[in-house]
Amino acid sequence: MESGGRDFWGTDPELVRSFRGHRDAVLSLDFHPSGRQVASAGADGLALLWNFKEDMRPIRLVGHTGAVNSIEFSPSGAWVVTGGADGTLRLWKNSAQQAKKQLAIKGHSAPVRAASFSADAQLLLSASDDKTLKLWTVSDRRFAGSLIGHRHWVRSARFSPDCRLIASGGEDKVVMVWDAETKRQVTSFEEHEGPVLAVAFHPDGTCVASGGEDRTVKLWDLRSRKLIQHYNAHGDSVRGIKFHPGGHFLGTVGDDGRVKLWDVRQGRAACSLSGHSGAVRAIAFSDTGEHLTTAGDDSLILVWKSNIAKPAEVAPSQPQYGDIPFRSNVRQQDPPPLSHWDDKENRGSGLAHPLAEDISRVVDRIVSQMDKMTSTFQGLDRRLTRVEETTKDLISRLNRNRGGKVRENAANVLGRHQQQDDEVPSMHPAFLESGPRFAEPTDSLNARYEEPISHNPADPHATFTSQALGQPNIFNSGALAGSLRP
C-alpha cells in the first residue's frame, strides 16, 4: 500500500470484508443506497446481491444468457437493473422472495455494456456494442429514444447528478456528452489515444472523468469544455472510475491489478491499494463514502473502509452547459410494481420497439440516395439520346457526301472516255462488218460485254480495248475504282 497526501484521511484504507461466489470475472459493482448491500455482476452470467451480515446468502438473479456486464440499484434500492451480453436490460425486485421475477427489455442488437437509473428514477439508460445509447421511461415502460453518434462500441455511459446530461465513452476513443431531453450531442472530447472504457460525473456535475486503454485518466470541465487534469494512472488499461461522494477524491482500477485513489484538488495520487490477483475491473463507493468495493478477474469482491472523512455535503453548482440550463428539482421515484409489467418479456406490454426510430432514419437515407441515383440516371439518359441523334446526323451527312463524290467521279470518267471515242480513227472495214455485239445496257454505269470482241488477227489495227468503245465497263476502270475507295 502506498500513500500520498491525506487532507481528508484518517488512516490508510483498510480491508474489512470479502465475498466469493462468482465462477468467473466480476465485471460490475454497486452499493445499495443504505450501504448494507453490494450488487455484483459477472462473466459467469450471474448477478448477486450480497448482504453484510455473514449468515445471509446472496440473492441470485438468474436470467441472462451470457455475461452480465453491468448492475446498479435504483435510487431507493428497491430495484436492480442489469445489462448483459445477450443484448437485454433486465429489471429485478430487490427481494429474495421475488428474485425470480424479472422484466426483460429487448432493444439492442448487440451486447449491453452499461445500464443505469437516472437520479430521479424516471429513466433507464443503456449503452451497447451496436454503437448506440438508448433511453427508457420507467413509469410507462416505453422506449424514449436513441443517442446516435459513436462510430464504434459504446463501453460506458452515466447520467449526470441532475439527470440533465449523459456522458458516454467508446471504442472510437471519444468521450461524448449528450442532452438527455433532446437526445443531441452537446460536446465531445477526443484526446484519448485508445478506447474509452469508463466515464463518471463529478458529484457537482461540473466535470467528467474518463479512463481507457491508453492507461490514462482525464478530467474535463463542462463549463469551459477543456481538459483540466491528466494522470498517467495505471500500468495497463483503466477499467473503472468512480468519484468519492465528497468530490475531492477519484477512485480508479485497472488491468495492472491496482486500486488507486487520486486527490483531484491537488492533482496527485493519494493512495494505491493491492489485494487482487489479476486485473481489477470494477469499483464503487457507498453513498456516504465510508466504504468502497472492488472486484476483478480473480472473482473476489473486496470491501474497504475508505477512512476518508466526508466533507460538508457537496451541493451541485449551477453550471450552464452552453445553452442547457441546470435542473435541480430531482425527485426519487421507483418503478411500478412488477405486477404492472408483462412477465413474458414485454409481449403485449405496449413497449415501443426502439429499432423503429433507427429503421425509419435508415429508410429515409436510402430513399434520399435512390432519388439522387434516379436523377443521375435521367441525366445520363438525356446525354445518351443527344449522342445518338448526333451520330445519326453525322452518318447521314457522310452518306450524302459520299454519294455526291461517286456521281462526280463517274461523270469525270465518262467524260474522259467520250473524249477518247471522239479521237478514235476510222474503223477497219473488217471490224465494221464483224464488229462486236453488245447486250443492251440497262444502265450506263452497269454495261457489260455479252461476248468477246472479234477482230482480224492479220490486221494489227483491228485490236481494241474496251476503253476505245462507246459503252465502256467503268467498274473495271482503275481510275474509278480508286475514286470509290473511302
Side-chain angles (χ1 to χ4, degrees):
M1 181 183 297
E2 302 170 1
S3 300
R6 298 184 178 180
D7 288 357
F8 287 95
W9 295 80
T11 60
D12 291 331
E14 53 184 312
L15 184 64
V16 294
R17 286 294 306 274
S18 65
F19 301 103
R20 186 183 292 275
H22 286 279
R23 299 185 300 271
D24 206 337
V26 178
L27 306 178
S28 180
L29 293 168
D30 192 34
F31 263 103
H32 189 279
S34 67
R36 295 192 299 266
Q37 277 182 311
V38 173
S40 63
D44 56 2
L46 291 177
L48 302 177
L49 306 181
W50 305 87
N51 198 298
F52 280 177
K53 295 182 179 180
E54 296 185 11
D55 58 345
M56 295 185 66
R57 293 183 178 181
I59 300 174
R60 294 165 57 91
L61 307 178
V62 181
H64 284 283
T65 57
V68 185
N69 296 319
S70 178
I71 191 166
E72 185 177 291
F73 286 104
S74 66
S76 69
W79 294 81
V80 178
V81 63
T82 57
D86 56 5
T88 66
L89 290 174
R90 294 179 187 263
L91 274 174
W92 315 78
K93 183 69 175 176
N94 185 4
S95 167
Q97 291 75 28
Q98 300 187 50
K100 293 183 179 181
K101 267 195 167 184
Q102 60 186 282
L103 169 71
I105 302 175
K106 296 180 179 180
H108 287 284
S109 59
V112 175
R113 296 285 183 174
S116 61
F117 285 95
S118 61
D120 57 7
Q122 297 298 303
L123 293 173
L124 283 173
L125 170 66
S126 58
S128 170
D129 285 357
D130 62 8
K131 307 177 188 178
T132 69
L133 297 92
K134 297 186 185 297
L135 292 170
W136 317 82
T137 59
V138 175
S139 60
D140 56 3
R141 311 176 300 282
R142 289 188 176 275
F143 170 67
S146 292
L147 284 65
I148 300 175
H150 281 283
R151 300 183 299 274
H152 212 312
W153 301 341
V154 187
R155 301 298 298 270
S156 181
R158 302 293 300 178
F159 278 105
S160 62
D162 65 345
C163 312
R164 196 69 178 89
L165 298 179
I166 294 170
S168 62
E171 291 278 340
D172 54 4
K173 309 177 185 179
V174 181
V175 176
M176 292 187 179
V177 181
W178 311 79
D179 182 340
E181 183 174 356
T182 65
K183 321 296 188 302
R184 294 181 179 179
Q185 183 180 323
V186 176
T187 189
S188 63
F189 307 105
E190 302 184 9
E191 278 76 1
H192 276 285
E193 297 178 359
V196 180
L197 305 180
V199 295
F201 274 97
H202 189 274
D204 68 3
T206 60
C207 68
V208 172
S210 60
E213 288 188 7
D214 59 3
R215 309 178 182 185
T216 68
V217 171
K218 301 179 187 294
L219 270 67
W220 316 89
D221 191 313
L222 296 178
R223 296 161 295 187
S224 64
R225 304 189 182 189
K226 294 181 179 179
L227 178 67
I228 55 175
Q229 288 189 12
H230 169 95
Y231 301 99
N232 293 315
H234 288 266
D236 209 332
S237 299
V238 179
R239 292 284 177 178
I241 289 181
K242 285 291 173 65
F243 277 98
H244 182 270
H248 292 227
F249 290 90
L250 176 69
T252 64
V253 295
D255 284 352
D256 59 359
R258 307 293 288 183
V259 180
K260 295 189 176 183
L261 299 176
W262 306 84
D263 186 335
V264 296
R265 292 194 315 160
Q266 300 184 19
R268 65 181 183 180
C271 183
S272 179
L273 308 174
S274 59
H276 290 279
S277 57
V280 187
R281 295 179 175 268
I283 183 172
F285 282 98
S286 63
D287 281 7
T288 62
E290 183 179 357
H291 293 94
L292 71 148
T293 180
T294 58
D297 285 357
D298 57 5
S299 307
L300 189 63
I301 301 169
L302 301 181
V303 180
W304 310 78
K305 187 176 181 181
S306 67
N307 290 324
I308 301 176
K310 184 177 179 181
E313 185 71 25
V314 177
S317 60
Q318 298 293 320
Q320 300 294 324
Y321 306 105
D323 55 350
I324 300 177
F326 183 82
R327 187 178 70 185
S328 58
N329 56 334
V330 175
R331 296 180 295 106
Q332 292 196 0
Q333 178 179 334
D334 280 325
L338 272 177
S339 58
H340 291 185
W341 299 78
D342 182 7
D343 294 334
K344 295 182 179 180
E345 298 188 346
N346 300 335
R347 280 176 282 183
S349 65
L351 183 66
H353 202 291
L355 294 179
E357 179 180 326
D358 298 343
I359 292 173
S360 177
R361 185 180 293 106
V362 171
V363 169
D364 289 342
R365 292 178 182 174
I366 292 174
V367 171
S368 176
Q369 292 298 323
M370 290 181 67
D371 289 342
K372 293 179 181 178
M373 291 175 64
T374 301
S375 177
T376 301
F377 287 144
Q378 290 174 347
L380 289 173
D381 183 65
R382 288 192 295 269
R383 291 185 181 182
L384 288 173
T385 301
R386 288 197 295 269
V387 169
E388 183 180 0
E389 292 174 352
T390 302
T391 302
K392 289 181 179 179
D393 183 62
L394 288 174
I395 292 174
S396 177
R397 291 183 181 182
L398 288 172
N399 289 336
R400 288 197 300 271
N401 291 338
R402 181 175 295 176
K405 289 183 178 179
V406 169
R407 289 191 293 271
E408 180 181 353
N409 290 336
N412 291 337
V413 171
L414 288 174
R416 287 197 300 270
H417 287 309
Q418 184 65 42
Q419 183 179 1
Q420 291 175 3
D421 291 344
D422 294 341
E423 296 173 356
V424 173
S426 58
M427 300 297 177
H428 192 277
F431 176 79
L432 293 175
E433 294 177 358
S434 60
R437 294 188 296 273
F438 298 101
E440 187 69 24
T442 58
D443 185 72
S444 62
L445 297 179
N446 293 315
R448 58 185 178 85
Y449 291 109
E450 191 173 73
E451 61 183 289
I453 301 173
S454 62
H455 63 278
N456 186 353
D459 191 346
H461 297 285
T463 302
F464 293 94
T465 62
S466 63
Q467 284 82 359
L469 302 178
Q471 296 294 336
N473 185 353
I474 67 170
F475 290 104
N476 291 329
S477 170
L480 182 57
S483 69
L484 291 177
R485 293 191 184 95

